[in-house]
Amino acid sequence: MKFGGTSVADLERIRNVARHVEREVKAGNEVAVVVSAMAGTTDQLVAWTREASMMHDAREYDCVVSAGEQITSGLLAITLQGMGISARSWLGWQIPMRTNDVHGAARIEGIDIEEMDRRMSEGQVAVVAGFQGVSPDGRVTTLGRGGSDTSAVALAAALRGRCDIYTDVDGVYTTDPRIVTKAQKLSRIAYEEMLEMASLGAKVLQTRSVEMAMVNQVPVQVRSSFDPPEGPFETQDHNYGPGTLVCGEEDIVEQQVVSGIAYSKDEAKVTLLKVDDKPGVAARIFGPLSSANINVDMIVQNVSEDGQRTDLTFTVADDDLQRAMAVIEEAKGDIGYQDLMGSTDVVKVSVIGIGMRSHAGVAAQMFQVLADKGINIQAITTSEIKISILIDAAYTELAVRALHSAYGLDAE
Ligand code: ADP
Ligand code: ASP
Ligand code: MG
């Protein structure tokens, strides 16, 4: 069981979590509970590290930002004990949850689960501080923002269990229910679609958690911690309860062409004007970016009118914009361009669905919908199961809502 920030926001919410845990214990399950920090805590901790120094040591960043989960894991263990349920807290290093040493975005390399497993089989609830691990040289690491989801899926894989993600919405929706009130809850979604949804902006699950669930075939259920903890639940899917089940494609009976729409505002656009149109230029632009560890997402290159000069646009994460601009400026002599522009007023909107593999016309429909609304498309990328476009951020909600209706996803 994993509970996110709003689900453990104060002691009353933590008592509510304890009642959900109690229900599972009474049903005869061995339970590990992963908790996030109280809502807003991690943001505050991140802000403090930046205020202390913009150029801080990433190892100390992890020392600070991992602290919120230590508090909630202890508080939940105390609360469970108070209800007569045997429980103890586990910090990342105590399990240990072993990771690499990429501080701030560490990857889990292995979990030494034996001791926790043994105690769980004796009936003790394991209350795990999410988001944190330990590096090969014994330093605290964190798994990237939203990383408690990944802690939970990794534990479920190691314990060969299922993973229930409790959050502030009652499942995965066709799009973010906060911006489209007509969004519908999906009873099931395939791992691959969820992976695209998450990586394209639907923050309901961290991308890496979905990747890990898919690789290890862990059934993940997203559900609400605001449901009454005592149950019984109205079950849409009798095996897994009332939320959304993230599962293999083969377990989905009615597959829609488009399953969902995601958007991401964490994008920035870089345009090089009048670049020499000759062999090797792209390599001279993207080589230095890759050496600087900057991920490039969408790329558009125009055909030059005179066969000599052209414009080139690409996107990066908005956090990387300043660095990307600096890298390109530094390589100006080598690349050869006239002007450089950067902007963060852009949003990436994506349409996702496994059904696209066998269905033509999804892209054409997307472009038509945007044209009808007078929204200009600045860049496009596609894969087998998704189409993403870059537009002016001011049109985010208009575009998402229009596409949601056009693909027949609106609730009645
Ligand atoms: P937690 O703190 O429990 O980890 P998050 O804030 O990380 O919760 O994720 C839940 C939020 O994800 C929801 O409140 C919702 O606004 C957002 N969200 C974005 N896209 C979707 C979607 N397609 N379905 C459900 N929720 C979504
Ligand atoms: N508390 C961490 C964060 O806010 C991890 C999580 O909530 O999953 O990113
Ligand atoms: Mg989250």
Side-chain angles (χ1 to χ4, degrees):
M1 305 172 81
K2 179 261 171 177
F3 292 85
T6 32
S7 306
V8 294
D10 54 37
L11 283 176
E12 185 42 41
R13 297 295 306 149
I14 290 177
R15 279 192 282 274
N16 170 71
V17 167
R19 290 197 293 273
H20 277 285
V21 174
E22 180 181 40
R23 184 193 68 241
E24 295 296 336
V25 170
K26 284 192 171 154
N29 293 311
E30 285 175 26
V31 182
V33 200
V34 174
V35 285
S36 293
M38 290 179 179
T41 300
T42 312
D43 287 342
Q44 174 66 72
L45 297 172
V46 170
W48 278 337
T49 60
R50 293 199 177 135
E51 212 180 306
S53 163
M54 272 317 274
M55 299 300 292
H56 50 253
D57 179 342
R59 289 163 298 195
E60 302 307 347
Y61 166 93
D62 277 350
C63 172
V64 175
V65 304
S66 60
E69 275 73 8
Q70 173 161 349
I71 297 171
T72 45
S73 61
L75 288 174
L76 179 58
I78 293 173
T79 309
L80 286 166
Q81 289 166 0
M83 292 163 64
I85 298 167
S86 165
R88 71 154 277 191
S89 61
W90 295 85
L91 300 182
W93 64 269
Q94 292 172 317
I95 304 174
M97 171 85 66
R98 291 183 288 102
T99 72
N100 64 13
D101 62 1
V102 182
H103 286 274
R107 273 187 179 271
I108 298 172
E109 292 187 330
I111 308 178
D112 300 339
I113 206 72
E114 296 74 25
E115 182 57 14
M116 183 188 289
D117 200 8
R118 190 183 65 73
R119 285 168 179 258
M120 284 173 64
S121 60
E122 288 171 355
Q124 189 179 62
V125 173
V127 185
V128 178
F131 185 49
Q132 48 174 261
V134 58
S135 74
D137 52 358
R139 303 295 299 261
V140 176
T141 55
T142 62
L143 309 178
R145 296 307 305 271
S148 296
D149 296 328
T150 304
S151 311
V153 173
L155 278 172
L159 292 162
R160 296 176 203 291
R162 67 168 213 255
C163 184
D164 295 351
I165 303 273
Y166 288 80
T167 181
D168 56 2
V169 278
D170 61 353
V172 177
Y173 279 70
T174 46
T175 192
D176 188 346
R178 289 193 204 288
I179 76 159
V180 180
T181 46
K182 287 182 177 165
Q184 295 187 64
K185 187 169 78 178
L186 298 161
S187 62
R188 295 186 172 212
I189 185 167
Y191 290 119
E192 264 188 80
E193 287 172 320
M194 191 64 238
L195 193 60
E196 292 281 11
M197 289 266 272
S199 70
L200 295 169
K203 287 180 178 156
V204 59
L205 289 176
Q206 197 198 31
T207 308
R208 277 186 192 168
S209 73
V210 186
E211 204 172 62
M212 192 170 293
M214 182 160 85
V215 170
N216 296 288
Q217 294 290 299
V218 177
V220 173
Q221 196 203 158
V222 178
R223 54 180 301 178
S224 173
S225 70
F226 291 78
D227 280 346
E230 295 77 23
F233 295 100
E234 288 257 332
T235 54
Q236 215 169 343
D237 186 323
H238 68 274
N239 284 323
Y240 289 104
T244 298
L245 180 68
V246 189
C247 59
E249 208 178 311
E250 60 287 357
D251 295 323
I252 296 181
V253 198
E254 271 180 77
Q255 185 65 60
Q256 306 297 318
V257 176
V258 170
S259 306
I261 296 171
Y263 66 92
S264 162
K265 294 187 169 168
D266 310 331
E267 312 286 323
K269 181 181 78 165
V270 179
T271 301
L272 284 77
L273 293 173
K274 298 210 187 300
V275 186
D276 289 343
D277 195 9
K278 60 180 191 212
V281 169
R284 286 199 287 275
I285 295 171
F286 297 111
L289 289 168
S290 120
S291 306
N293 253 319
I294 297 171
N295 251 324
V296 173
D297 179 19
M298 306 169 122
I299 301 173
V300 188
Q301 185 179 356
N302 295 331
V303 182
S304 51
E305 272 174 33
D306 54 3
Q308 290 180 352
R309 299 225 145 163
T310 176
D311 298 343
L312 187 138
T313 294
F314 63 88
T315 65
V316 294
D318 57 357
D319 284 346
D320 286 338
L321 177 63
Q322 294 315 325
R323 278 200 313 130
M325 301 275 287
V327 166
I328 299 295
E329 258 158 36
E330 196 171 318
K332 183 166 185 177
D334 201 25
I335 302 168
Y337 60 86
Q338 200 176 77
D339 242 326
L340 179 65
M341 297 185 313
S343 122
T344 54
D345 307 334
V346 287
V347 65
K348 183 168 65 174
V349 177
S350 310
V351 167
I352 298 135
I354 279 183
M356 271 184 219
R357 281 194 200 127
S358 51
H359 196 95
V362 180
Q365 190 178 359
M366 183 176 199
F367 304 151
Q368 191 57 54
V369 168
L370 296 166
D372 291 347
K373 295 283 177 198
I375 301 172
N376 188 38
I377 300 173
Q378 304 181 16
I380 304 169
T381 53
T382 63
S383 80
E384 232 190 340
I385 66 163
K386 71 115 200 274
I387 305 157
S388 301
I389 50 129
L390 193 74
I391 59 172
D392 187 327
Y395 298 116
T396 312
E397 297 186 7
L398 179 63
V400 173
R401 290 200 185 113
L403 291 166
H404 197 265
S405 298
Y407 291 110
L409 298 174
D410 284 356
E412 294 306 308

